[in-house]
Amino acid sequence: MTTSRIKLTKKSHACVRLEKDGRLLVIDPGGFSEDDAAAGADAVLVTHEHPDHFDEDRLRAALEANPAAEIWTLASVADQISAAFPGRVHTVGHGDTFTAAGFDVQVHGELHAVIHPDLPRVTNVGYLVDGAVFHPGDAFTVPEQPVDTLMVPVMAPWNKIAEVIEYVREVKPRRAYDIHDALLTDLARPIYDGHIGRLGGTEHVRLTPGESADL
């Protein structure tokens, strides 16, 4: 695990920004997140191709604003943007490791969770950052090593609250932060907070978009 402190900033829906030693790593700046979700990024990670996680315009703007910025993602996303940025878009898959913006990253998982049996499953990867922070994308992937901070997808067409709670229990993080919550109304948030907090077996935290925490 890293010895430098990581600053986590929650953006809307599935996007988070991680800062360490003056460098910025952004995960999943999709179409449900703010227009500037990827602004200032030194590196961007994208878990899969769905538009609430992958927004081509946001990625293009980030790479054009910073000629040194790079993207790591799976093939389905890389194929859509790599031609515009030769050498700056890297294709990764389960088991890969790399360094992005000074963060050590491990790739876990291969498939998106099942939405419905009639719908084909797209590819999806999760990222374990500095051996501490895990963002699973749209899946309940369990890394084969301890996770300190889990970004837990709380509300999606592919999950229900019982599955979210069991996922937190299985990963056993020290703390769990909500992501994938843009579809959740304010009326429902206390219900989700209560169930995950009481039954998940770990510290459960919900940050509002733009709010930060030191990890």
Side-chain angles (χ1 to χ4, degrees):
M1 188 179 298
T2 179
T3 56
S4 297
R5 176 164 291 185
I6 297 173
K7 179 182 178 181
L8 163 72
T9 301
K10 171 78 165 65
K11 303 298 282 187
S12 293
H13 199 51
C15 180
V16 297
R17 292 161 65 95
L18 302 175
E19 298 175 69
K20 183 186 71 171
D21 299 333
R23 305 189 73 188
L24 175 62
L25 175 69
V26 179
I27 305 177
D28 279 2
F32 289 1
S33 299
E34 296 79 0
D35 289 342
D36 64 349
D42 296 293
V44 179
L45 311 181
V46 179
T47 61
H48 66 288
E49 66 196 78
H50 286 162
D52 55 326
H53 297 256
F54 164 54
D55 184 286
E56 185 173 344
D57 290 341
R58 283 168 172 74
L59 295 185
R60 285 180 176 273
L63 266 67
E64 289 168 357
N66 179 5
E70 299 177 78
I71 294 176
W72 282 262
T73 186
L74 32 64
S76 59
V77 173
D79 290 347
Q80 299 183 52
I81 198 170
S82 59
F85 302 98
R88 299 170 64 189
V89 181
H90 311 282
T91 302
V92 298
H94 177 70
D96 288 342
T97 60
F98 57 91
T99 301
F103 293 87
D104 294 326
V105 183
Q106 300 175 13
V107 184
H108 296 267
E110 299 179 90
L111 289 172
H112 191 289
V114 175
I115 299 173
H116 188 276
D118 289 355
L119 297 175
R121 295 173 72 183
V122 301
T123 50
N124 176 95
V125 294
Y127 298 105
L128 181 62
V129 180
D130 275 353
V133 182
F134 186 60
H135 189 306
D138 277 8
F140 288 138
T141 303
V142 179
E144 297 177 355
Q145 65 187 79
V147 171
D148 183 77
T149 301
L150 175 66
M151 310 310 300
V152 57
V154 296
M155 201 280 183
W158 49 268
N159 71 21
K160 60 184 180 180
I161 190 64
E163 296 169 332
V164 174
I165 292 166
E166 290 304 313
Y167 180 54
V168 174
R169 287 179 171 181
E170 187 172 3
V171 176
K172 297 182 179 69
R174 187 164 64 89
R175 65 172 75 87
Y177 285 94
D178 286 357
I179 57 168
H180 214 287
D181 54 359
L183 302 179
L184 191 61
T185 71
D186 288 340
L187 287 173
R189 288 184 187 277
I191 299 172
Y192 278 69
D193 290 346
H195 287 325
I196 298 172
R198 286 192 302 271
L199 302 175
T202 191
E203 178 187 0
H204 172 247
V205 183
R206 175 167 59 88
L207 300 176
T208 58
E211 191 175 1
S212 300
D214 290 328
L215 306 182

